[in-house]
Amino acid sequence: MLCFLRGMAFVPFLLVTWSSAAFIISYVVAVLSGHVNPFLPYISDTGTTPPESGIFGFMINFSAFLGAATMYTRYKIVEKQNQTSYFSTPVFNLVSLVLGLVGCVGMGIVANFQELAVPVVHDSGALLAFVCGVMYTLLQSVISYKSCPQWNSPSTCHIRMAISAISCAAVIPMIVCASLISITKLEWNPKEKDYAYHVVSAICEWTVAFGFIFYFLTFIHDFQSVTLRISTEINDDI
């Protein structure tokens, strides 16, 4: 049996594959339609103009839902592990969940408010998604180390922390350079004064986005031993 079919492993697997497809399909459609430059557009640039805006919005909305489902399941896994053998304060796990869910709300905002139509709302959502997402990965990496070696292998902990560190290092110049750009546009000329800021921030944005994807990929093994049960009770008094 494939590893992503065991237990709840299909949830992070679906999140990873669906989100990757969302970025790639939107990028390909936007480039083939001539709406963006093939060289380092912002992720949001590939979801601004129809028809790719509809694809981007639909797929990122579902990614946000899958992200929330993955984070909540991860929260319950850590909660159960901590009850079995105490290794960290429950508040730590709860804070990471809240940050993760706020990041998912940010993704929903990005998906539904295009950057050229309502740039302030769109940028606010992107800021929530990236900053809260990076903080979530950092906290989960710390939790992984605290639960090592009983619940996580040292190699998994190192990989998670490495991805978190790279994402954290990339999100800072992404925000700084993006804030220095004086105009929001889809097509850039290398001779323009803000072009260097655009290139740096776009590289960092793609780095952080795929950092999230690779991070959730490490959850697949943890989710294999988890099962979901739904029970239905009918009250006879009704």
Side-chain angles (χ1 to χ4, degrees), residues 172-186:
I172 296 173
M174 180 196 79
I175 295 172
V176 172
C177 290
S179 65
L180 294 173
I181 297 175
S182 57
I183 186 172
T184 301
K185 54 189 298 186
L186 298 182

PDB file of all heavy atoms in Angstrom, residues 172-186:
ATOM      1  N   ILE A 172      12.014  37.621   5.581  1.00  0.00           N
ATOM      2  CA  ILE A 172      12.396  38.988   5.980  1.00  0.00           C
ATOM      3  C   ILE A 172      12.767  39.851   4.773  1.00  0.00           C
ATOM      4  O   ILE A 172      12.182  40.926   4.573  1.00  0.00           O
ATOM      5  CB  ILE A 172      13.533  38.941   7.016  1.00  0.00           C
ATOM      6  CG1 ILE A 172      13.051  38.257   8.295  1.00  0.00           C
ATOM      7  CG2 ILE A 172      14.038  40.360   7.324  1.00  0.00           C
ATOM      8  CD1 ILE A 172      14.140  38.015   9.320  1.00  0.00           C
ATOM      9  N   PRO A 173      13.719  39.425   3.911  1.00  0.00           N
ATOM     10  CA  PRO A 173      13.998  40.244   2.715  1.00  0.00           C
ATOM     11  C   PRO A 173      12.808  40.323   1.764  1.00  0.00           C
ATOM     12  O   PRO A 173      12.661  41.312   1.037  1.00  0.00           O
ATOM     13  CB  PRO A 173      15.186  39.530   2.062  1.00  0.00           C
ATOM     14  CG  PRO A 173      15.182  38.157   2.624  1.00  0.00           C
ATOM     15  CD  PRO A 173      14.634  38.272   4.003  1.00  0.00           C
ATOM     16  N   MET A 174      11.951  39.294   1.768  1.00  0.00           N
ATOM     17  CA  MET A 174      10.753  39.343   0.931  1.00  0.00           C
ATOM     18  C   MET A 174       9.875  40.530   1.322  1.00  0.00           C
ATOM     19  O   MET A 174       9.442  41.305   0.461  1.00  0.00           O
ATOM     20  CB  MET A 174       9.958  38.047   1.081  1.00  0.00           C
ATOM     21  CG  MET A 174       8.696  37.979   0.248  1.00  0.00           C
ATOM     22  SD  MET A 174       7.553  36.673   0.778  1.00  0.00           S
ATOM     23  CE  MET A 174       6.791  37.459   2.204  1.00  0.00           C
ATOM     24  N   ILE A 175       9.637  40.687   2.615  1.00  0.00           N
ATOM     25  CA  ILE A 175       8.786  41.771   3.104  1.00  0.00           C
ATOM     26  C   ILE A 175       9.461  43.129   2.900  1.00  0.00           C
ATOM     27  O   ILE A 175       8.835  44.089   2.441  1.00  0.00           O
ATOM     28  CB  ILE A 175       8.447  41.553   4.589  1.00  0.00           C
ATOM     29  CG1 ILE A 175       7.597  40.295   4.760  1.00  0.00           C
ATOM     30  CG2 ILE A 175       7.704  42.767   5.151  1.00  0.00           C
ATOM     31  CD1 ILE A 175       7.379  39.896   6.203  1.00  0.00           C
ATOM     32  N   VAL A 176      10.752  43.192   3.227  1.00  0.00           N
ATOM     33  CA  VAL A 176      11.486  44.459   3.115  1.00  0.00           C
ATOM     34  C   VAL A 176      11.526  44.942   1.672  1.00  0.00           C
ATOM     35  O   VAL A 176      11.209  46.105   1.378  1.00  0.00           O
ATOM     36  CB  VAL A 176      12.920  44.308   3.674  1.00  0.00           C
ATOM     37  CG1 VAL A 176      13.735  45.568   3.371  1.00  0.00           C
ATOM     38  CG2 VAL A 176      12.887  44.046   5.177  1.00  0.00           C
ATOM     39  N   CYS A 177      11.921  44.071   0.761  1.00  0.00           N
ATOM     40  CA  CYS A 177      12.031  44.463  -0.651  1.00  0.00           C
ATOM     41  C   CYS A 177      10.673  44.781  -1.260  1.00  0.00           C
ATOM     42  O   CYS A 177      10.546  45.723  -2.056  1.00  0.00           O
ATOM     43  CB  CYS A 177      12.716  43.350  -1.448  1.00  0.00           C
ATOM     44  SG  CYS A 177      14.470  43.146  -1.072  1.00  0.00           S
ATOM     45  N   ALA A 178       9.652  44.013  -0.889  1.00  0.00           N
ATOM     46  CA  ALA A 178       8.307  44.279  -1.415  1.00  0.00           C
ATOM     47  C   ALA A 178       7.804  45.640  -0.948  1.00  0.00           C
ATOM     48  O   ALA A 178       7.115  46.359  -1.697  1.00  0.00           O
ATOM     49  CB  ALA A 178       7.345  43.182  -0.985  1.00  0.00           C
ATOM     50  N   SER A 179       8.148  46.022   0.288  1.00  0.00           N
ATOM     51  CA  SER A 179       7.704  47.323   0.816  1.00  0.00           C
ATOM     52  C   SER A 179       8.421  48.492   0.152  1.00  0.00           C
ATOM     53  O   SER A 179       7.932  49.626   0.182  1.00  0.00           O
ATOM     54  CB  SER A 179       7.925  47.375   2.330  1.00  0.00           C
ATOM     55  OG  SER A 179       9.303  47.310   2.636  1.00  0.00           O
ATOM     56  N   LEU A 180       9.577  48.227  -0.467  1.00  0.00           N
ATOM     57  CA  LEU A 180      10.346  49.287  -1.132  1.00  0.00           C
ATOM     58  C   LEU A 180       9.899  49.524  -2.569  1.00  0.00           C
ATOM     59  O   LEU A 180      10.318  50.506  -3.189  1.00  0.00           O
ATOM     60  CB  LEU A 180      11.845  48.939  -1.111  1.00  0.00           C
ATOM     61  CG  LEU A 180      12.509  48.916   0.275  1.00  0.00           C
ATOM     62  CD1 LEU A 180      13.941  48.403   0.161  1.00  0.00           C
ATOM     63  CD2 LEU A 180      12.478  50.301   0.907  1.00  0.00           C
ATOM     64  N   ILE A 181       9.066  48.629  -3.087  1.00  0.00           N
ATOM     65  CA  ILE A 181       8.566  48.785  -4.459  1.00  0.00           C
ATOM     66  C   ILE A 181       7.465  49.836  -4.470  1.00  0.00           C
ATOM     67  O   ILE A 181       6.510  49.768  -3.701  1.00  0.00           O
ATOM     68  CB  ILE A 181       8.048  47.446  -5.001  1.00  0.00           C
ATOM     69  CG1 ILE A 181       9.205  46.434  -5.080  1.00  0.00           C
ATOM     70  CG2 ILE A 181       7.404  47.627  -6.372  1.00  0.00           C
ATOM     71  CD1 ILE A 181       8.787  45.040  -5.502  1.00  0.00           C
ATOM     72  N   SER A 182       7.590  50.789  -5.363  1.00  0.00           N
ATOM     73  CA  SER A 182       6.684  51.941  -5.353  1.00  0.00           C
ATOM     74  C   SER A 182       5.386  51.718  -6.114  1.00  0.00           C
ATOM     75  O   SER A 182       4.435  52.484  -5.959  1.00  0.00           O
ATOM     76  CB  SER A 182       7.408  53.170  -5.943  1.00  0.00           C
ATOM     77  OG  SER A 182       7.884  52.899  -7.256  1.00  0.00           O
ATOM     78  N   ILE A 183       5.320  50.672  -6.944  1.00  0.00           N
ATOM     79  CA  ILE A 183       4.126  50.452  -7.750  1.00  0.00           C
ATOM     80  C   ILE A 183       3.848  48.959  -7.897  1.00  0.00           C
ATOM     81  O   ILE A 183       4.780  48.154  -7.957  1.00  0.00           O
ATOM     82  CB  ILE A 183       4.285  51.099  -9.159  1.00  0.00           C
ATOM     83  CG1 ILE A 183       2.981  50.996  -9.945  1.00  0.00           C
ATOM     84  CG2 ILE A 183       5.448  50.477  -9.920  1.00  0.00           C
ATOM     85  CD1 ILE A 183       2.996  51.770 -11.262  1.00  0.00           C
ATOM     86  N   THR A 184       2.559  48.604  -7.935  1.00  0.00           N
ATOM     87  CA  THR A 184       2.151  47.214  -8.140  1.00  0.00           C
ATOM     88  C   THR A 184       1.847  47.001  -9.609  1.00  0.00           C
ATOM     89  O   THR A 184       0.982  47.663 -10.178  1.00  0.00           O
ATOM     90  CB  THR A 184       0.902  46.878  -7.299  1.00  0.00           C
ATOM     91  OG1 THR A 184       1.184  47.096  -5.923  1.00  0.00           O
ATOM     92  CG2 THR A 184       0.489  45.432  -7.501  1.00  0.00           C
ATOM     93  N   LYS A 185       2.556  46.077 -10.241  1.00  0.00           N
ATOM     94  CA  LYS A 185       2.384  45.831 -11.677  1.00  0.00           C
ATOM     95  C   LYS A 185       2.718  44.379 -11.980  1.00  0.00           C
ATOM     96  O   LYS A 185       3.361  43.688 -11.180  1.00  0.00           O
ATOM     97  CB  LYS A 185       3.268  46.771 -12.497  1.00  0.00           C
ATOM     98  CG  LYS A 185       4.725  46.725 -12.107  1.00  0.00           C
ATOM     99  CD  LYS A 185       5.543  47.822 -12.773  1.00  0.00           C
ATOM    100  CE  LYS A 185       5.535  47.709 -14.268  1.00  0.00           C
ATOM    101  NZ  LYS A 185       6.439  48.674 -14.901  1.00  0.00           N
ATOM    102  N   LEU A 186       2.300  43.911 -13.169  1.00  0.00           N
ATOM    103  CA  LEU A 186       2.526  42.529 -13.560  1.00  0.00           C
ATOM    104  C   LEU A 186       3.770  42.345 -14.420  1.00  0.00           C
ATOM    105  O   LEU A 186       4.428  41.307 -14.347  1.00  0.00           O
ATOM    106  CB  LEU A 186       1.304  41.987 -14.316  1.00  0.00           C
ATOM    107  CG  LEU A 186      -0.019  41.944 -13.547  1.00  0.00           C
ATOM    108  CD1 LEU A 186      -1.115  41.335 -14.413  1.00  0.00           C
ATOM    109  CD2 LEU A 186       0.127  41.169 -12.256  1.00  0.00           C
TER     110      LEU A 186
END
